Amino acid sequence: MKFGGDMEEQSTDLKPIFDGIFGKQKNIVYERPKFAERKISDMLNGLSKISLLDWERYAFSRDPLVGRISPYKRKEYMQKSWECGIEWADRLKSEYGNLSAEDLAKKLGMEIEYPILPENTDRVLFAEFREPNNIKIYMDAVNKANKYLFDEDIKGIFCDANIVDILLLHELFHSIEEKYKKEIYTRVEKIELWSIGFFHYKSNIIALSEIAAMGFAYKYSEITFSPYILDVLLVYGYSQNEASGLYEEIMELVDNNERKHDEC
Ligand SMILES: [Zn+2]
């Protein structure tokens, strides 16, 4: 699973940039709307004020089943998935002590690699987990984002947060889900797509896995903001315009009245 919910859609948008970088020039009928240019520190500041469970609509916006889930059910899923991630972070800390993200991943049998870019694809990827035990963190995106962390305003939001750790923990959660798929909430909870007689066709809900992975990364790394913020920061490294568009989309999806700020 990829970090940041379903990035497929965004990476399609970002594709022309990569085609340009790699010199694969072709006639692309592509015109992305131009968004108001925003400073990354202003965007991160705005995003950091969104309280953890208020990312709900954004979290579900990338899920293909979103149209089948009522707002009431969505809220319940958000809360339960987030709690699932938190519980697993607590459980692993009490079991193994306060290991670093990398040591924890190794302890759980993961093989971790830090390639610069994904191979054989021009998709923008930040990190991914591949069964049974491989996690890749793509350093091109991380290195680009890390440059912004020197900004004083951004330091105030990120404190000591480490992007690699957050990505790694997110992917590690997907490996935990795989291992405990028969019992873990994000896999056991399903939505019925259709039924005929006694036959019921049920499906997992991707957003639940993503939310729980974010909750897990948040709790384990002890950061004070939602890891969903990284979607904007990591995209910003590739396109300020795309990041601004994403920021606007998120802000529209969040209820302005429900924002609050966690201090670090
Ligand atoms: Zn994921």
Side-chain angles (χ1 to χ4, degrees):
M1 293 226 193
K2 301 156 275 135
F3 182 83
D6 188 355
M7 287 294 296
E8 211 90 48
E9 220 175 297
Q10 288 158 32
S11 57
T12 315
D13 294 338
L14 287 168
K15 218 173 160 189
I17 302 165
F18 272 70
D19 285 345
I21 292 166
F22 299 130
K24 269 197 291 165
Q25 299 299 338
K26 57 187 175 193
N27 290 332
I28 303 156
V29 187
Y30 168 87
E31 213 170 314
R32 180 75 168 150
K34 204 80 189 100
F35 298 99
E37 210 171 289
R38 293 171 192 275
K39 275 170 66 183
I40 185 65
S41 56
D42 290 345
M43 292 197 284
L44 294 177
N45 192 35
L47 296 169
S48 71
K49 293 187 169 74
I50 301 172
S51 54
L52 301 169
L53 296 181
D54 285 348
W55 286 86
E56 167 216 321
R57 288 184 64 205
Y58 175 65
F60 280 91
S61 66
R62 302 293 190 270
D63 196 302
L65 298 176
V66 65
R68 293 172 165 268
I69 304 166
S70 71
Y72 174 80
K73 198 68 189 161
R74 210 173 51 211
K75 274 198 166 48
E76 184 192 309
Y77 282 153
M78 179 76 196
Q79 174 134 16
K80 287 191 175 166
S81 305
W82 186 263
E83 280 167 6
C84 171
I86 301 280
E87 273 167 30
W88 273 93
D90 290 342
R91 189 160 155 181
L92 292 176
K93 273 206 177 166
S94 66
E95 201 167 327
Y96 298 111
N98 205 7
L99 297 179
S100 70
E102 192 178 271
D103 286 347
L104 176 68
K106 286 182 179 160
K107 190 96 188 163
L108 297 177
M110 291 297 122
E111 163 195 281
I112 311 153
E113 293 175 75
Y114 300 95
I116 298 294
L117 286 166
E119 275 177 29
N120 307 323
T121 179
D122 51 9
R123 286 190 307 158
V124 175
L125 266 188
F126 307 143
E128 63 182 324
F129 161 65
R130 281 192 200 163
E131 290 174 47
N133 69 335
N134 180 275
I135 292 175
K136 288 187 176 66
I137 309 291
Y138 295 111
M139 294 307 290
D140 188 55
V142 173
N143 293 337
K144 282 183 164 68
N146 273 340
K147 287 186 200 144
Y148 302 114
L149 301 190
F150 290 108
D151 180 301
E152 284 303 321
D153 292 336
I154 297 177
K155 263 189 208 163
I157 300 163
F158 272 69
C159 306
D160 296 326
N162 179 316
I163 295 174
V164 168
D165 284 355
I166 299 170
L167 295 174
L168 180 54
L169 289 163
H170 176 108
E171 300 305 329
L172 183 60
F173 183 81
H174 290 317
S175 80
I176 293 167
E177 278 188 298
E178 202 45 46
K179 200 166 161 190
Y180 295 92
K181 59 186 166 199
K182 293 211 168 77
E183 60 191 272
I184 197 161
Y185 170 72
T186 54
R187 290 296 184 84
V188 173
E189 185 71 31
K190 289 183 192 319
I191 193 167
E192 186 170 294
L193 294 183
W194 48 265
S195 63
I196 300 171
F198 292 113
F199 189 81
H200 301 273
Y201 183 76
K202 293 181 176 181
S203 166
N204 286 120
I205 307 159
I206 298 162
L208 306 194
S209 297
E210 295 309 317
I211 294 163
M214 294 300 192
F216 178 76
Y218 163 83
K219 183 70 198 244
Y220 197 91
S221 64
E222 297 176 353
I223 53 177
T224 54
F225 53 86
S226 171
Y228 277 110
I229 286 181
L230 292 190
D231 279 0
V232 172
L233 176 62
L234 291 165
V235 168
Y236 192 84
Y238 292 96
S239 164
Q240 300 187 6
N241 187 50
E242 296 291 341
S244 299
L246 187 56
Y247 172 81
E248 280 178 27
E249 185 193 342
I250 292 168
M251 287 318 221
E252 268 175 40
L253 290 169
V254 170
D255 178 0
N256 292 345
N257 302 323
E258 285 176 24
R259 283 181 216 154
K260 63 173 191 245
H261 187 47
D262 293 319
E263 298 293 341
C264 54

